[in-house]
């Protein structure tokens, strides 16, 4: 049972109209039902409840991070087959100990990655692989837990491409060689045999092959006992079939009772049972929604040409698989017989043949049971961007993978364009992710920021349009760390958006940082005011581990010092000095920045009051050192000077790199920062 049902004539995903989801997120798109996925998980778990078991979801069926996280939160382990899948499950919050690494071709880098993460077990498939894992583990000073995947030579009566347990398949180790292999493992210093595994294929609709395979495993476990090799678990793999059309797969209760009774009868000693289900958890938890672009009449048939094809769902082309296809809105009109095909230039590009449907051009159809081996087997063939994935939970929808853009497709083959901006002595490299959506690791940022061997910059800024004049705005220091807000950078971004004609100039620009929304107003050709948010003096907000005071006193750099503190989205300590040129920025600045009373470190400003509307400032920035200019630091200093009655708004803050004007009308009001920005260089790397 799933949660894709008609109410009246309209198809719903849980409580949401499928047509609404298509309207909001576009087509083609995969729609997942969280309740269906959770229900399947609980059904598998409950079926095996009476025996110690572990369910390691086979990630290859569908590796979407949000879906993996749902399963991880339910307590799932994971069956992975590559370093990429390992990275995915770790990003989703998997418990490393519950990860099984399967697959015939593990590379040295993947084995190393898995050992350093500390995964639960390698399901090994050949002697050379066993030796490789041993050598790598030994060199890393680790012991690798292994389970031999046996090839039981059993016919699972499924499609030849998804049959894996026959002697002529590439998978597993010949059952006749298994004892010798375990003896070899015993000799190897960095391996420990903990289990035995098998996986005989997928979409299996009979119970007998499962029972035979487990029986074969248990006979070998019994034989190993004679050699004093004792294991802890047997892993029966995945493979249970689902209903795509008229198939009647065994129920989970029948499946569990077959496996458990085989185990109870034949196990030589108590063994945990591990499972690697993929399809049975995922398949019926999703539909693929597509639009009919054309109805094309040919000599002897009608084609419904969809905006989805084999690049979105390859199972029909690859295995001649059958998926039910239904109309998203039932129409009271005559049904026609159609072949539903995609736009891809292959005759195998079909999703369904000879289907009876009441449809017109422009209508939406839903392909059912596509959660497993659907999106995960998609491709970019014909330069088609991968489609969107949406999760529905009750009456809520969530985009869990955005539709790829053409820019995504080109990004790996193009140089990275960048633009260098400067605002008040700070220089910024700005990357527009709408033009080139590459992900920036902190290592890459460090490389890029290097003044001798890279481009050199104070901060890297990335922007990506959310909607209208609203953009995601991320700020990274040259050390790769992300920063909460940067007002000077916000002005640089505003200038870029204006120069590139990317916004409606009459409206304010809104920038969404990792923790707030910043508004930027244009007041001159290169001049902007930025809403820097409300100052927050509370120690919890800064954060500062001291009770609230206007002036704090601590010992830093072996001297007692007084400072005020405020959060301007990021932490600031401000010290007063008599002469700005002699301020101990490098020594006391650094010591205070790293002082344990600031659990997230702090920026440190040294301020000299010049008159009621002017102060001078030098700033030691977290992760950077002394900088020519710090916008939030200028706000922090001006706010403290206004609060303490030394200055009145507006305050001109004189920084090493230039001047900023800070406007603040007092408590509960936001701080506005006024200044300019310039574009200094454009290039590619
Ligand atoms: N385990 C292994 C080793 C596999 O190769 C596969 C699929 O091919 C599975 C588990 C999951 O199989 P299924 O999706 O049929 O449950």
């Amino acid at each position: 049972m799933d949660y894709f049902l008609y109410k009246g004539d309209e198809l719903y995903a849980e409580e949401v109209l499928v047509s609404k989801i298509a309207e909001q997120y576009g087509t083609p798109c995969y729609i997942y039902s969280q309740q269906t996925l959770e229900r399947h998980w609980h059904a598998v778990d409950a079926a095996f409840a009476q025996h110690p078991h572990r369910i390691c979801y086979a990630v290859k069926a569908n590796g979407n991070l949000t879906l993996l996280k749902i399963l991880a939160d339910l307590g799932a382990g994971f069956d992975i087959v590559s370093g990429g899948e390992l990275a995915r499950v770790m990003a989703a919050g998997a418990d490393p100990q519950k990860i099984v690494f399967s697959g015939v071709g593990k590379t040295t880098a993947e084995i190393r990655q898995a050992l350093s993460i500390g995964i639960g077990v390698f399901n090994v498939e050949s002697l050379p692989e066993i030796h490789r894992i041993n050598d790598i583990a030994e060199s890393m000073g680790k012991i690798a837990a292994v389970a031999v995947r046996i090839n039981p030579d059993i016919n699972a009566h499924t499609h030849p491409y998804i049959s894996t347990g026959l002697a002529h398949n590439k998978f597993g180790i010949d059952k006749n060689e298994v004892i010798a292999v375990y003896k070899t493992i015993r000799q190897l210093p960095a391996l420990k045999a903990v289990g035995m595994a098998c996986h005989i294929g997928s979409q299996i609709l009979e119970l007998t092959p499962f029972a035979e395979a487990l029986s074969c495993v248990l006979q070998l476990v019994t034989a190993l006992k004679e050699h004093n090799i004792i294991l802890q678990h047997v892993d029966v793999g995945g493979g249970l079939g689902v209903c795509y059309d008229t198939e009647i797969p065994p129920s989970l209760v029948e499946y569990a009772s077959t496996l458990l009774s085989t185990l109870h009868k034949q196990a030589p000693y108590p063994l945990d049972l591990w499972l690697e289900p993929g399809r049975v958890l995922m398949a019926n938890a999703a539909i693929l929604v597509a639009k009919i672009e054309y109805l094309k009449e040919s000599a002897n048939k009608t084609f419904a040409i969809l905006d989805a094809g084999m690049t979105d769902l390859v199972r029909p082309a690859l295995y001649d698989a059958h998926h039910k296809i239904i109309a998203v809105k039932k129409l009271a009109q005559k049904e026609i017989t159609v072949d539903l095909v995609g736009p891809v230039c292959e005759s195998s590009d079909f999703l369904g043949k000879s289907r009876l449907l009441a449809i017109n051009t422009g209508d939406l159809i839903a392909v059912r049971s596509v959660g497993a081996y659907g999106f995960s087997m998609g491709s970019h063939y014909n330069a088609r961007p991968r489609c969107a994935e949406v999760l529905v939970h009750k009456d809520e929808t969530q985009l869990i993978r955005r539709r790829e853009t053409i820019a995504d497709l080109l990004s790996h083959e193009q140089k990275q364009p960048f633009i260098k901006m400067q605002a008040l002595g700070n220089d910024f490299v700005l990357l527009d992710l709408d033009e080139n959506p590459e992900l920036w690791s902190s290592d890459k940022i460090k490389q890029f920021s290097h003044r001798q061997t890279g481009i050199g910059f104070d901060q890297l800024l990335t922007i990506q349009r959310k909607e209208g004049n609203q953009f995601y705005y991320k700020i990274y220091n040259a050390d790769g760390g992300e920063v909460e807000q940067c007002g000077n950078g916000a002005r640089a971004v505003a200038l870029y958006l204006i120069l590139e004609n990317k916004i409606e100039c009459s409206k304010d620009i809104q920038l969404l940082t990792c923790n707030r929304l910043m508004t930027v107003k244009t007041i001159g050709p290169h001049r902007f005011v930025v809403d820097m948010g409300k100052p927050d003096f509370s120690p919890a907000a800064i954060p500062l581990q001291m009770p609230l005071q206007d002036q704090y006193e601590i010992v830093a750099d072996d001297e007692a010092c007084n400072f005020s503190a405020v959060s301007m989205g990021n932490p600031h300590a401000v010290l007063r000095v008599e002469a700005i040129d002699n301020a101990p920025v490098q020594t006391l600045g650094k010591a205070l920045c790293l002082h344990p009373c600031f659990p997230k470190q702090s920026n440190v400003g040294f301020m000299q009051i010049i008159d009621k509307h002017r102060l001078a400032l030098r700033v030691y920035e977290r992760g950077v050192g002394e900088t020519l200019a710090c916008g939030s630091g200028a706000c922090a200093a001006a706010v403290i000077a206004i609060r303490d009655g030394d200055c009145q708004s507006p305050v001109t803050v004189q920084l090493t790199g230039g001047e900023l004007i800070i406007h603040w009308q007092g408590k509960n009001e936001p701080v506005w920062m006024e200044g300019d920005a310039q574009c200094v260089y454009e290039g590619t790397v």
Side-chain angles (χ1 to χ4, degrees):
M1 135 96 203
D2 62 48
Y3 287 81
F4 300 102
L5 298 170
Y6 285 105
K7 285 186 200 157
D9 291 334
E10 300 263 16
L11 184 64
Y12 278 74
E14 303 202 1
E15 294 160 29
V16 189
L17 264 172
V18 168
S19 55
K20 277 262 172 278
I21 300 174
E23 192 183 310
Q24 186 176 353
Y25 299 102
T27 59
C29 81
Y30 274 83
I31 302 178
Y32 298 90
S33 153
Q34 183 165 340
Q35 291 192 81
T36 309
L37 177 58
E38 288 172 348
R39 185 193 172 101
H40 291 171
W41 165 270
H42 290 302
V44 176
D45 200 31
F48 288 92
Q50 50 157 297
H51 191 88
H53 65 280
R54 175 172 292 177
I55 306 169
C56 296
Y57 164 67
V59 177
K60 60 176 81 65
N62 191 318
N64 180 284
L65 290 182
T66 305
L67 303 178
L68 295 179
K69 175 151 184 8
I70 292 172
L71 289 168
D73 289 347
L74 288 166
F78 294 97
D79 166 48
I80 57 156
V81 291
S82 69
E85 287 190 353
L86 178 53
R88 283 195 163 272
V89 298
M90 291 312 293
D95 173 353
Q97 268 304 307
K98 291 193 198 164
I99 298 173
V100 174
F101 196 164
S102 304
V104 290
K106 301 173 192 84
T107 64
T108 299
E110 287 172 330
I111 294 167
R112 211 171 261 290
Q113 178 192 1
L115 283 169
S116 55
I117 286 172
I119 65 155
V121 60
F122 290 88
N123 280 358
V124 290
E125 306 221 14
S126 68
L127 265 180
E129 179 196 340
I130 288 167
H131 284 288
R132 182 183 280 188
I133 297 176
N134 176 65
D135 293 348
I136 298 171
E138 203 175 6
S139 73
M140 293 172 75
K142 305 222 176 212
I143 303 288
V146 296
V148 174
R149 172 170 171 182
I150 68 153
N151 184 325
D153 194 17
I154 282 169
N155 191 344
H157 303 128
T158 185
H159 190 283
Y161 292 0
I162 48 175
S163 173
T164 56
L166 282 164
H168 66 256
N169 295 134
K170 69 177 172 182
F171 299 99
I173 290 182
D174 189 315
K175 62 182 174 190
N176 301 311
E177 287 162 23
V178 167
I179 303 293
V181 167
Y182 274 93
K183 285 186 183 166
T184 304
I185 292 172
R186 182 162 55 186
Q187 303 303 321
L188 294 171
L191 298 186
K192 179 172 168 38
V194 294
M196 191 181 293
C198 69
H199 170 78
I200 52 173
S202 196
Q203 185 56 8
I204 301 169
L205 297 165
E206 299 162 26
L207 289 171
T208 316
F210 289 116
E212 285 175 5
L214 179 56
S215 181
C216 178
V217 167
L218 293 171
Q219 281 166 31
L220 290 165
V221 173
T222 307
L224 282 181
K225 188 174 170 237
E226 306 297 310
H227 300 278
N228 287 327
I229 297 175
I230 305 294
L231 306 177
Q232 288 145 29
H233 75 265
V234 288
D235 177 345
V236 291
L240 184 60
V242 301
C243 174
Y244 284 104
D245 184 23
T246 53
E247 307 91 326
I248 308 175
S251 73
L252 282 164
V253 173
E254 290 166 329
Y255 173 65
S257 89
T258 301
L259 291 178
L260 292 179
S261 71
T262 308
L263 186 64
H264 293 151
K265 277 189 218 135
Q266 298 183 30
Y269 49 83
L271 284 159
D272 290 357
L273 184 69
W274 290 18
L275 306 143
E276 300 168 1
R279 193 183 306 269
V280 79
L281 290 173
M282 256 326 155
N284 288 313
I287 57 173
L288 170 63
V289 178
K291 190 173 83 185
I292 300 169
E293 292 284 350
Y294 302 100
L295 282 176
K296 174 176 170 177
E297 303 290 342
S298 75
N300 50 12
K301 58 168 74 169
T302 304
F303 291 101
I305 302 175
L306 308 172
D307 60 2
M310 64 189 292
T311 50
D312 307 289
L313 177 69
V314 76
R315 298 190 69 256
L318 192 61
Y319 312 125
D320 209 11
H322 183 98
H323 287 265
K324 281 188 186 152
I325 299 180
I326 56 177
V328 167
K329 187 174 170 61
K330 287 188 195 163
L331 298 178
Q333 68 179 50
K334 194 166 169 286
E335 290 180 321
I336 49 171
T337 303
V338 288
D339 276 11
L340 296 115
V341 300
V344 175
C345 297
E346 295 289 331
S347 292
S348 59
D349 179 30
F350 69 93
L351 297 186
K353 286 189 174 165
S354 301
R355 304 298 177 89
L356 258 182
L357 287 163
I359 45 171
N360 301 304
T361 305
D363 288 354
L364 299 175
I365 56 94
V367 187
R368 290 179 56 85
S369 314
V370 295
Y373 309 103
F375 190 92
S376 63
M377 292 182 92
S379 75
H380 287 130
Y381 185 44
N382 279 198
R384 286 172 52 77
R386 311 285 299 275
C387 69
E389 292 181 287
V390 177
L391 177 68
V392 180
H393 187 225
K394 298 187 179 159
D395 61 355
E396 283 176 11
T397 62
Q398 183 194 347
L399 182 65
I400 57 172
R401 192 179 200 275
R402 70 168 170 82
R403 183 178 306 285
E404 290 180 1
T405 60
I406 301 293
D408 287 330
L409 294 184
L410 305 185
S411 64
H412 297 285
E413 297 156 55
Q414 281 179 329
K415 284 189 162 185
Q416 175 81 49
F418 72 92
I419 180 158
K420 192 158 179 180
M421 319 283 295
Q422 83 108 4
L424 202 71
N426 277 160
D427 57 338
F428 303 98
V429 160
L430 191 145
L431 301 170
D432 183 344
L433 301 189
D434 289 328
E435 304 296 332
N436 200 325
E438 236 189 275
L439 277 181
W440 282 75
S441 65
S442 64
D443 276 352
K444 195 163 160 190
I445 294 173
K446 266 190 246 170
Q447 234 179 351
F448 206 38
S449 74
H450 200 278
R451 298 258 172 213
Q452 278 83 40
T453 53
I455 303 173
F457 52 78
D458 289 324
Q459 280 169 331
L460 177 88
L461 313 174
T462 67
I463 53 161
Q464 190 167 27
R465 192 186 301 273
K466 185 166 181 249
E467 56 195 0
N469 268 22
Q470 203 172 83
F471 293 81
Y472 295 106
Y473 167 46
K474 287 185 172 278
I475 310 135
Y476 302 93
N477 274 340
D479 67 358
E482 191 172 346
V483 184
E484 294 88 339
Q485 79 165 345
C486 173
N488 290 332
R491 296 199 309 278
V493 168
L495 179 62
Y496 167 80
L497 294 173
I498 288 169
L499 293 178
E500 294 292 313
N501 232 345
K502 288 200 145 221
I503 45 162
E504 265 184 70
C505 287
S506 57
K507 290 193 186 154
D508 293 347
I509 301 164
Q510 297 201 301
L511 302 176
L512 261 172
T513 75
C514 62
N515 72 349
R516 67 176 289 256
L517 186 69
M518 303 176 84
T519 301
V520 187
K521 294 177 188 292
T522 309
I523 54 168
H526 284 182
R527 197 152 178 89
F528 307 93
V529 274
V530 182
D531 157 25
M532 299 290 287
K534 292 178 192 166
D536 192 337
F537 299 97
S538 64
I542 294 171
L544 167 62
Q545 279 168 346
M546 292 176 90
L548 175 67
Q549 284 164 55
D550 280 356
Q551 285 275 319
Y552 300 91
E553 195 180 328
I554 58 166
V555 175
D557 198 29
D558 294 335
E559 271 182 56
C561 70
N562 288 313
F563 65 91
S564 299
V566 62
S567 166
M568 283 303 315
N570 42 23
H572 288 275
V574 178
L575 294 87
R576 282 152 209 273
V577 289
E578 293 299 323
I580 197 74
D581 293 338
N582 304 332
V585 185
Q586 304 293 357
T587 48
L588 181 56
K590 184 173 183 187
L592 199 52
C593 169
L594 301 174
H595 196 281
C597 70
F598 292 108
K600 288 192 171 171
Q601 303 184 3
S602 180
N603 303 298
V604 182
F606 292 84
M607 110 174 138
Q608 180 193 342
I609 308 285
I610 297 172
D611 62 33
K612 278 277 172 227
H613 289 288
R614 183 171 281 271
L615 59 84
L617 184 72
R618 284 172 63 191
V619 182
Y620 185 94
E621 258 186 64
R622 275 186 306 179
V624 182
E626 180 165 10
T627 50
L628 292 177
C630 171
S632 60
C635 296
V639 156
I640 284 166
I642 295 170
R643 179 197 67 178
D644 294 348
D646 297 313
C647 287
Q648 286 167 3
S649 180
V651 179
T652 299
V653 179
Q654 232 172 267
L655 292 133
T656 321
E659 290 186 353
L660 282 170
I661 302 176
I662 309 297
H663 307 256
W664 186 49
Q665 300 313 324
K667 218 171 165 217
N668 293 328
E669 291 296 325
V671 181
W672 290 90
M673 184 177 82
E674 182 186 330
D676 45 22
Q678 284 102 39
C679 168
V680 288
Y681 189 79
E682 274 183 65
T684 55
V685 278

